Amino acid sequence: MAFKEKIGVRSVRLALTVLAGSVLFSGQSMADEAIQKVEITGSSIKRIAVEGALPVQRLSQEAIAKSGATSVADLIQALPAMQGFTIGAVAAGSDSGGNTSASLHGIGESYTLVLLNGRRIAPQGSGTTVNLNAIPMSAVERVEILTDGASALYGSDAIAGVLNFILKKNQQGATLEATYGAPEDKGGNAWNTSVTYGFGDLDEDRFNVLLSYRHDEQSKLRATDRNFAASSYVPFSRNGNNYIWDRTSTSGSPAGATVAYNSGAPSTAFSPYLAKNGNCPEGFDITTANARACGFDTGSTVEIVPQSKRDSLFSKATYKLNDNLNAFAELAYSRYDLTARIAANPIPIAIAKDSALYNTYVSPYLTPAQRADVKSVTANYRSTDFGLRASNTITETKHMVVGVEGELGAWNFESGLTWSQNSIDERYTGGYQKSQEFKNILANPDFNPFAATQNPSVQAQVAGAQFVGSVRTASTTMRGVDTHGSRELFDLPGGKASLGIGGDYRTYTYEQSPGSNATGDDIYNFNTKPAYDMSRDTYGAFVELLAPLTKSFEMTVGGRHDAVKAIDDKLNNKTVGKKDSANTYKVSARWQPVQTVLIRGSYGTGFKAPSMLEIAQPLVNAGFTAKKFDCPYPGNALCRAEATQYNAVSQGNPDLQSEKSKQFTLGFRVEPSAAFSFGADLWDVKLRNAVSEVSEEQAFADPIKYASSFGTYVEPSTGIAYYAFKKLSVNIGKKEYRGIDWDLSANHKFSFGKLTAQLSGTHMLHANYTKAGSDNIYTSNMNFFGDTNEVTFRNLMKLTTTLDTGRLSNTVTVNYRNGYTDAAATVYNLATKKEEKNFRLQVPSYTTFDWQARFAFDKQTTIRAGIKNLFDRAPPLSLRASSGHQIGFDPRYADPMMRSFYVTGNYKF
């Protein structure tokens, strides 16, 4: 019978939305199963009902295996409800350490709460975003995704929702598993192996111990291994016109030259090699912006998928104190070792006026008036003799919990102590220069930045001038205590009313230290990483009441109080920001007028404090703008010679206010028979005081209005000051997101087997937010590459069809995302011989097909083999210039591996 709640062994009849749509669970009668109460993600009250008033999507072990995902990030980021997350590939040229995140509905990764067994784990950085690499994949039993936010149980800062990884427990015996995968084309091979072992039975032995270990390796994928990513000089055609998108760099070897003038006249940029020879050297193209300059093809040198290794361990020990109480201890550890490589280091070198280099390579190509007005000359050199810039980041996550759970009188309760830490050691392993040793190279009379190749005497100095070592270490440590419980109270017409109460207290510490030998004095043209030592405390308490008012209608009312203290800046011996607190609430209802229909809804409020760095960060170097820009204030001596990437700096804002939200959901489920189920949930989230930054596009488009977004930056190597873009955290005003999560599941039994079709998706209705500095001028990312450098897709869908025929099953999965309007770019029209600014490409929809076959030799041995991207669909052309150094496609929205194969063996004993 539809919608009968029967939980034994945590199985339910109802089809629930999961990665591949919805999974139909076993259909025994209630009499065949021992009914037990379980806690559902999103509520503190243990109950028999599984399909409650809040929408929860569930991924079973089988759904995880069918996905073919080899990491938690691959698994989660493929869900239709996920948009706006960070992928590991952006580690190329950044200090992310391969951070991967979850983001529900495009609202943002900092608004999605990630839990391990219902508890928070240490984030990466000073905010709340958890690196998914910290989750031990082999130990995951299932995943529950609460797509309604501001949970009373977990915290009102979970504005977009909650992702709860529930790990295995009380397992007996061992499981061995190994996977090998490889693309059809060159590069990107991967493999993993894991072992999980459990012994002891809680009921018979009074204890259980579970150990799970997994090792993963991913080999690098070079840009030149894929045609769509192989170059920074990208020719393409649209609407009968031929264009070139030029993302080359005028920093190269041989170097370009930039001449600044005392009169304040616009700087001159040109390539001495081109001026002398009439052509550019190999690996360069004449730039579309400046016919006198050669651009180096940096994109061809990038590794678009970095190489990595991961080791993860999970252990849980449970001891039965008595018939009602269990004591437990959990330990999770992961080590993620990632090496990312990008183009050789660009180094500006000052050229003295009237020097031999100046007289040979610069002066002949200036007019007499220009020569008389020269202020400074810079060689835009790239140290290709040193090889690619290689950064190795080791990320470690340690997570420990000890606690007690069970029953005390009428109460179901759980309480625990948590210590959790995420730490990073970022190291340079090639391509960077020791300061004094490189100065010795510059002093070598044979060194010539304008030459195509360096003299052997210079090349002999390169090995000794390589800097190798740690440039920064950083860690976020969380210490906390939590407790919550629930009990039945009194009779109502629909059953017993239930009460849930609880609270938590946490201390977060964020520390960063520059490497002991990694200062501006140690590394040439380097900005020393800033040092931080910040901490703050948070605490919260909640109460929740479940009231079954009739047999078919129940309501839940919850309230929560959260407080976030001011930040203790220990390095500067001061307190930054101020204490903030809020009272939030959640009201939800569930109505089942007939056995086959369920209607539900909720309304609530949320509260989220800014991260510690958003409030307390001093002014620090923050790399470069993602795109090339013209000078914000033309004619000024602080301008660079031509459109280029400007330096960026970043600073916190101690006056930031906490963000507030209001949200609601309204949904239904219909299951007319065991062979068909359909459901949909409308959700809506509105934020005010949302924290963001004025984007570089906004600032450079209107530098008068956003004058506060510009400062100056002095190049360490030349001492020359230029304009810099300032990334400043502000409360931008408002965000409004609305959409529908839906799923459909059907199955049919044939004489030869069972066919199951599962279709799920997210349909976005709104993705609006006010521009930075405004509370009434709205813009949107809906199917549009917006101010936040990302797209919110209106439709994401996944269809999974499985045919089970005894020991063999075949699964085909179809993944779909609609097309969108790409980022604004400057392109060169080959017909008109002119640049076209603010050109926006229409990127087509992207659909891929995956296939997997599963064969069970017996109860112990299973083999899976699959093909991802069965029809070898290449990523569509994108002109975006953000989220990593990859050129020609957006790695967040399309997989560069293309068609790939994998095989997985699983053995239980």
Side-chain angles (χ1 to χ4, degrees), residues 77-272:
Q77 293 177 350
L79 291 168
M82 292 290 168
Q83 298 196 56
F85 42 74
T86 297
I87 63 170
V90 304
S94 73
D95 60 359
S96 73
N99 180 41
T100 56
S101 65
S103 173
L104 278 163
H105 299 143
I107 299 172
E109 59 191 16
S110 64
Y111 303 97
T112 299
L113 180 61
V114 176
L115 305 173
L116 194 65
N117 276 346
R119 284 187 170 84
R120 295 185 184 233
I121 61 178
Q124 182 161 315
S126 68
T128 58
T129 302
V130 169
N131 188 343
L132 294 181
N133 288 316
I135 307 298
M137 177 90 168
S138 59
V140 175
E141 178 183 279
R142 70 182 189 278
V143 186
E144 295 183 348
I145 303 103
L146 172 65
T147 56
D148 178 66
S151 165
L153 171 60
Y154 301 118
S156 57
D157 59 339
I159 288 172
V162 178
L163 192 63
N164 190 9
F165 291 90
I166 299 170
L167 306 184
K168 299 172 183 176
K169 62 180 181 180
N170 202 29
Q171 174 175 318
Q172 288 84 42
T175 301
L176 300 176
E177 186 169 280
T179 299
Y180 178 79
E184 181 177 19
D185 297 325
K186 184 179 179 181
N189 295 6
W191 65 273
N192 66 73
T193 184
S194 67
V195 56
T196 302
Y197 179 60
F199 60 93
D201 185 277
L202 272 178
D203 293 328
E204 296 181 3
D205 305 318
R206 301 182 67 85
F207 76 93
N208 177 258
V209 177
L210 173 70
L211 298 168
S212 181
Y213 168 76
R214 173 167 165 148
H215 178 78
D216 298 79
E217 292 203 16
Q218 170 70 60
S219 64
K220 63 191 175 187
L221 178 65
R222 295 183 176 93
T224 50
D225 292 335
R226 298 292 183 269
N227 291 333
F228 54 81
S231 177
S232 300
Y233 198 78
V234 183
F236 68 98
S237 300
R238 282 297 184 276
N239 302 320
N241 296 316
N242 295 319
Y243 300 95
I244 292 175
W245 185 49
D246 184 2
R247 285 276 293 162
T248 60
S249 170
T250 53
S251 292
S253 180
T258 299
V259 183
Y261 301 102
N262 289 307
S263 64
S267 299
T268 301
F270 65 96
S271 169

Side-chain angles (χ1 to χ4, degrees), residues 12-28:
V12 291
R13 169 106 173 151
L14 189 61
L16 300 169
T17 309
V18 293
L19 171 65
S22 304
V23 173
L24 291 177
F25 294 86
S26 63
Q28 295 116 325

